[in-house]
Amino acid sequence: MGQAYSTIAFDPAKCDGCGKCMTACASVKFDSTDTTRSLIQIVRSGGASIEPPRPGEFELALCRQCADPKCATVCPAGALGKNGATGVIDWDASKCVDCLLCTIGCTYAGIALDEHSGRVSKCDTCEGKPACVPACPTGALRHVTTARIYNEVGSWEDLFAPGLAGCQGCNTELLMRHALRRVGPDTVLATPPGCVPGMGSVGFNGTTGTKVPVFHPLLTNTAAMLAGVKRQYERVGRKVTAMAIAGDGGASDVGFQSLSGAAERGERILFMVVDNEGYMNTGMQRSSCTPYGAWTSTTPVGEHTRGKSQDAKNLPMIMINHRCEYVATASTAYMEDLYDKLDKALAASERGFAYLHVYSPCTTGWRFQSALNIEVARKAVESNFVTLWEYTPESGLHFTRPVDKPLPVTDYLEAMGRFRHLSPEQVEHIQKKVTENLRFVRKIAEQADEQ
Amino acid sequence: MHTTDYLIAGSSHAALEAINAIRMHDGEGSITVVTRDPHRPYSPTVLPYVVSGRSTPERVYLRDDAFFTLNKVDYRSGCALAGLDPAAHQARLADGSTIGYRKLLLATGASPVVPPISGIDRVDYHVLRTLDDATRLRAAMAGSKNAVVLGAGLVGMHAAENLVKAGASVTIVEMSKQLTSGYFDEVAAGMIEQAFLGNGAKIRTGHRVVGLEPGPKGATLQLDNGDTIPADLLLVAVGVRPELGYLDGSGVATERGILVDDSMRTSVEDVWAAGDCAQARGFFTGTPVMNAILPDATVQGRIAGMAMAGDPGIKPYPGGVPLNTYHFFGRHAISVGSAAVPEGGRAQVRFDAASGRYLRAVFDRDERLTGIFGVNEFFDAGVMAQLILRRTDLGPLRERFFAQPLATGRELMSQLWR
Ligand SMILES: Cc1cc2nc3c(=O)[nH]c(=O)nc-3n(C[C@H](O)[C@H](O)[C@H](O)COP(=O)(O)OP(=O)(O)OC[C@H]3O[C@@H](n4cnc5c(N)ncnc54)[C@H](O)[C@@H]3O)c2cc1C
Ligand code: SF4
Ligand code: SF4
């Protein structure tokens, strides 16, 4: 059985029961206006009877495309099974004998009798483009699929040693392992001082923490050394990917001159920045990427200071001004997006400088529970605190995950301890900054659209 | 001698689920499957459709060879378990060879009961449990004019419908007063009976066959009231029972089936049992029952596999709940849970003659669902089974639930098991 994942997620808080998803499904699947035939069923909670209905009063019955599908387990005819390529539980009409046992196996009402045809019916996600999702006017439905990540990445080799020593709940390990898997074994890796070598990329007791050659440059010369290594390989005729995984401090402050120089020269390297908004590995000091108001050990909260008093430098926007082959921002809360960008960055690094900036929440330095890393990363994007986009010189800048209805920035700020002390004025400042930043990036994106 | 970490006897639902569960936790331990059947795995439940021609033998297999290769399973068909020495951790096979095992799962299912009717050994009759049975029955059906089905359980009724549709004149003989007793109540059974009569079948409920004689074409049945019925095709479908001869002298405790605890462990160390051959705790009775249905075989197989592999995620068996779906002449019937009204509880019934919709729901004294039965009234049986297993208090929702079991069940499902 395959491992791909494809499901339609439902946010009951957004659903107002308009039923447009059911209309769309019945029409697309059965060419019918009868919404009882729809494969997605929205039911109103019975206790609620006040008109008009309000969001939060609706429930959902829909196939979840289970990883462990009980419908398939009990099917005596082998008519149901996970499609490893798409993640969908396929129903083979020609094998099905209409015994209805699958409706016993499924506990989610995901497969049911269609009284018109006398046969069972279930959601097949419309070949990966579910009609219900765009039909929903409130955004309560979302199609989530990781089919590609599971199918391909699972079979690539993990190039980091097991047992790296990260803080509990840190997503940098996830990021490193995924990124290096994708980039592959023909890689020379530079990991300047920061969390990545701190976790063990450069190894212990004389062995490296990676299965590819790795070196530990200075904070100041990472891009320069890596460019030199790459040029030497090119000179002897060997094709390797030269990749750096650096922290935001190493890239935006003290390492910036070598980074800027390499970008300006168009060195063929892939520079990935793990932006946890500070020098977290050495005890949580501020960097130029630390946002306004954030507590760090060098921007303390006390009588005179209330966290950092300057705004963060927008490093990826600065990199655009080097006209690199590729510049993008990404987040571990959106792995499909991150993978897309890794692919493009990797390809671009064969032609010139590729820069990938990944926003990476830090459980220890930002002060939130270790289980909440992805949640915090998601809220950063959903509040527009950070934006996800990509840039190439040919097509300019484009948002890859535009946010329609952003969360108030307080939703993000309240998710962690480093902002706990903020005064209303400081929050207002941050909200303003978010708006201003967004407007700035949007302007550039609009100009790209006009081309 | 061949030795294996996991030895599994049987290759049907319980066995296949056990393989999945073992491989979920233990990717390497060697697995050997020995099965009496000569074919790749298939489900007995699909066989009526092989008989009717709706499906074909080549299309019913549940796993292909690649599955066994991928999961590193040594699959041996045509290879029956014949004896067991639990102390030595050895199993004896029908061909006389032995296999050493670390852990053993008995998933050998059940076989048709052949009633001790005088003369039965002198006539030709059919049963339906294996693919070869189905192929043989299908061939015989083509030429049948006068068929008799002995037993009005779901297997018998299914076959009877196939025979009717193939053009034979069919008589169903059933000892008890009602068709499909144990699955459906009187009213539902009445509707099923009407459908069969309407399609030309003859029904002789409340009668037993006391003798069988070879006739000019097939057999002649003699009923307890003296009537005789000629049959050019006789199908015996009076029930199933596990064949457990291989346990003789092994010390594994049995009653009607192999007795197991809530992790499907038998009375003997390193031996588990699951599916139709096992007798596990009934959800309603709390005592060991036979619940020979497909969904339960998969649940038990899963638990046994997890227990054998030492998977810490294992959850104890919740107890068996009867679950059945049945199609007859274009109509459908669904039964979930127990038909008996518990003390202090109540049953609610509605019937709409025009649409032929029938619904009966049973609640206990605390307003919890214990059974729900419908004809032509579709509801999500899997959701209903969970409401029963979770002992959900329907309290104020009961009336609405009864009026709209489909919508209300879905609403509860969506709220309760998000
Ligand atoms: C015609 C028919 C219709 C049915 N319809 C339904 C239905 O609609 N709904 C429902 O829930 N259930 C139905 N059932 C019952 C359902 O098929 C069984 O409950 C289910 O198959 C049990 O699975 P199992 O793995 O326990 O055993 P089985 O499916 O019986 O499989 C037993 C396995 O053990 C093997 N075996 C037997 N003896 C030995 C031995 N000594 N050594 C090695 N291997 C051995 C057999 O070859 C077989 O592979 C039906 C059954 C039949 C026959
Ligand atoms: S039909 Fe039910 S069991 Fe099957 S995949 Fe969908 S939700 Fe899961
Ligand atoms: S109704 Fe069809 S898909 Fe469902 S269990 Fe039966 S054969 Fe399988």
Side-chain angles (χ1 to χ4, degrees), chain A residues 74 76 99-101 104, chain B residues 8-17 33-49 51 75-76 78-83 92-94 106-112 127-130 133 154-156 158-159 183 240 243-246 274-278 291-298 300-301 323-327:
Chain A
V74 300
C99 68
L100 296 183
L101 266 163
I104 290 183
Chain B
I8 298 176
S11 59
S12 183
H13 293 288
L16 294 174
E17 270 304 286
V33 171
V34 294
T35 183
R36 188 171 67 186
D37 205 84
H39 302 285
R40 274 183 280 152
Y42 60 86
S43 173
T45 302
V46 83
L47 298 177
Y49 306 93
V51 175
Y75 183 74
R76 306 179 172 198
C79 192
L81 179 64
R92 192 162 42 74
L93 304 182
L106 305 171
T108 53
S111 302
V127 294
L128 183 57
R129 185 73 189 189
T130 67
D133 292 341
L154 294 187
V155 174
H158 242 302
Y183 301 102
V240 297
E243 268 176 59
L244 301 174
Y246 60 77
D276 282 9
C277 68
N291 193 32
I293 55 170
L294 191 163
D296 222 23
T298 66
Q300 295 183 0
L323 299 163
N324 279 288
T325 55
Y326 174 49
H327 258 123

Side-chain angles (χ1 to χ4, degrees), chain A residues 160-173:
Chain A
F160 277 100
L164 296 188
C167 297
Q168 211 173 49
C170 175
N171 69 359
T172 302
E173 180 175 355

Side-chain angles (χ1 to χ4, degrees), chain A residues 71 74-77 79-80 91 95-102 111 120:
Chain A
C71 58
V74 300
C75 175
L80 291 161
W91 173 65
K95 280 190 170 180
C96 171
V97 296
D98 303 330
C99 68
L100 296 183
L101 266 163
C102 47
I111 187 160
V120 292

Side-chain angles (χ1 to χ4, degrees), chain A residues 179-193:
Chain A
L180 205 53
R181 270 187 173 196
R182 174 65 192 96
V183 177
D186 288 327
T187 300
V188 174
L189 187 65
T191 58

Side-chain angles (χ1 to χ4, degrees), chain B residues 33-212:
Chain B
V33 171
V34 294
T35 183
R36 188 171 67 186
D37 205 84
H39 302 285
R40 274 183 280 152
Y42 60 86
S43 173
T45 302
V46 83
L47 298 177
Y49 306 93
V50 173
V51 175
S52 72
R54 174 76 183 269
S55 194
T56 55
E58 316 77 64
R59 302 260 295 158
V60 299
Y61 296 119
L62 296 174
R63 300 288 188 277
D64 54 13
D65 295 340
F67 170 85
F68 294 111
T69 313
L70 187 72
N71 285 285
K72 297 181 216 132
V73 174
D74 181 353
Y75 183 74
R76 306 179 172 198
S77 51
C79 192
L81 179 64
L84 188 61
D85 180 352
H89 282 68
Q90 283 179 10
R92 192 162 42 74
L93 304 182
D95 66 4
S97 63
T98 48
I99 293 186
Y101 63 84
R102 218 158 54 75
K103 298 181 174 181
L104 170 66
L105 174 63
L106 305 171
T108 53
S111 302
V113 171
V114 178
I117 302 170
S118 96
I120 196 158
D121 49 341
R122 290 184 286 126
V123 302
D124 189 27
Y125 62 88
H126 289 263
V127 294
L128 183 57
R129 185 73 189 189
T130 67
L131 191 52
D132 295 343
D133 292 341
T135 315
R136 205 169 79 86
L137 179 57
R138 177 165 172 73
M141 193 172 78
S144 169
K145 300 258 177 312
N146 283 305
V148 173
V149 175
L150 206 54
L154 294 187
V155 174
M157 296 306 283
H158 242 302
E161 181 172 341
N162 287 337
L163 286 158
V164 167
K165 286 179 175 163
S169 140
V170 180
T171 308
I172 301 165
V173 183
E174 164 63 45
M175 211 163 72
S176 74
K177 288 258 173 322
Q178 181 198 311
L179 299 175
T180 63
S181 62
Y183 301 102
F184 297 104
D185 68 11
E186 232 173 294
V187 182
M191 295 171 79
I192 296 170
E193 178 162 344
Q194 284 311 311
F196 273 81
L197 291 175
N199 281 279
K202 293 191 221 43
I203 293 172
R204 309 293 302 264
T205 41
H207 285 291
R208 92 179 42 239
V209 179
V210 292
L212 282 163

